[in-house]
Amino acid sequence: MRTPLLAANWKMNMARQDANTLVKDLMAAVGNVRDRDVAICPPFHLLADVEKLVEGHENVYLGAQDLHWKDSGAFTGEVSAPMLKDVGCRMVIIGHSERRAMFGETDETCAKKLAAAMQHGLVPILCVGESLEQHEAGKTVDIVKAQLRADLEGLTLDDGNKLVIAYEPIWAIGTGKADTAENANNTMIALRKVLAEIFGEEIAQQVRLLYGGSVKPANIAGFMACSDIDGALVGGASLKAESFSQIVNY
Ligand code: PGA
């Protein structure tokens, strides 16, 4: 059985004081969950603060929103896997559609980042998703399958628990217009087939597949009731302790 994972992607939001209040409230509400995992992915400048607040909460994972594939060197502005480990991260988001659209992230860079994360024992949350145009043309499954294959190029995996995939339709992110649970689940089933082709059925069954895009307290239960949806990657609704703890307690 796959343990549900509810992951918060704060994006470029939160100052230290607000983050402290949010995480304290969140830990009081859901810090001791046992039957599900929670991930909090703040911007880099808050990682050390949040780490102190989640320390000791076994099922609460600190995550970053990106990393560079090299360990160190002359890469101004970048942060590496060993640095993320050093500050207590256990997970890292890779290839979010905002990074692909605005910061030149490609399937090639995603593949390098995946390899680096895994080499250092960070669990990647790899994001894939189609545009509105691709969605309306009925190309969703083809697009995300191709993306997944390209991003996983060259990767070996001995344990499906070491990889998380987030399917996030771009048109659903921050729009308030989530995919239907049924559509999202069908896409997940297609993605899991790709994982089975690459890594074998047993490992594919272990990999957690998250849905992302306008997840809210009101729609999370519908997604979680689906056969192949194992959790959610949550943006806007993760910025308030009340809404995110309702999502965790779906
Ligand atoms: P949203 O963002 O929940 O605000 O739609 C999700 C994401 O981009 O990960």
Side-chain angles (χ1 to χ4, degrees), residues 41 52 71 75 102 167 190:
C41 306
K52 284 196 192 79
D71 286 359
F75 303 100
M102 294 185 272
Y167 164 57

Side-chain angles (χ1 to χ4, degrees), residues 38-148:
V38 174
I40 303 177
C41 306
F44 292 128
H45 77 296
L46 295 172
L47 286 169
D49 282 7
V50 175
E51 199 275 332
K52 284 196 192 79
L53 297 170
V54 304
E55 202 190 348
H57 297 277
E58 258 310 293
N59 293 47
V60 181
Y61 289 71
L62 182 67
Q65 298 174 16
D66 189 24
L67 82 170
H68 193 270
W69 55 86
K70 294 279 191 187
D71 286 359
S72 62
F75 303 100
T76 301
E78 296 293 325
V79 175
S80 71
M83 292 168 176
L84 297 181
K85 288 288 287 187
D86 193 36
V87 75
C89 285
R90 296 195 279 170
M91 291 189 168
V92 59
I93 297 171
I94 293 176
H96 190 282
S97 60
E98 286 153 13
R99 298 215 58 83
R100 293 180 193 255
M102 294 185 272
F103 304 103
E105 193 85 75
T106 63
D107 291 326
E108 289 72 30
T109 57
C110 287
K112 289 186 193 175
K113 290 178 178 189
L114 273 169
M118 288 198 166
Q119 190 199 332
H120 291 281
L122 289 164
V123 173
I125 303 176
L126 172 68
C127 302
V128 297
E130 85 287 5
S131 67
L132 181 60
E133 199 188 345
Q134 292 162 337
H135 175 69
E136 287 176 342
K139 292 184 184 153
T140 299
V141 167
D142 289 347
I143 293 288
V144 298
K145 279 166 73 175
Q147 245 181 343
L148 187 61

Side-chain angles (χ1 to χ4, degrees), residues 9-11 13 174 214-215 233-240 243-244 247:
N9 174 12
W10 289 3
K11 309 193 179 184
N13 292 296
S214 297
V215 171
L233 183 55
V234 186
S238 74
L239 296 174
K240 294 232 153 56
S243 50
F244 191 58
I247 288 170

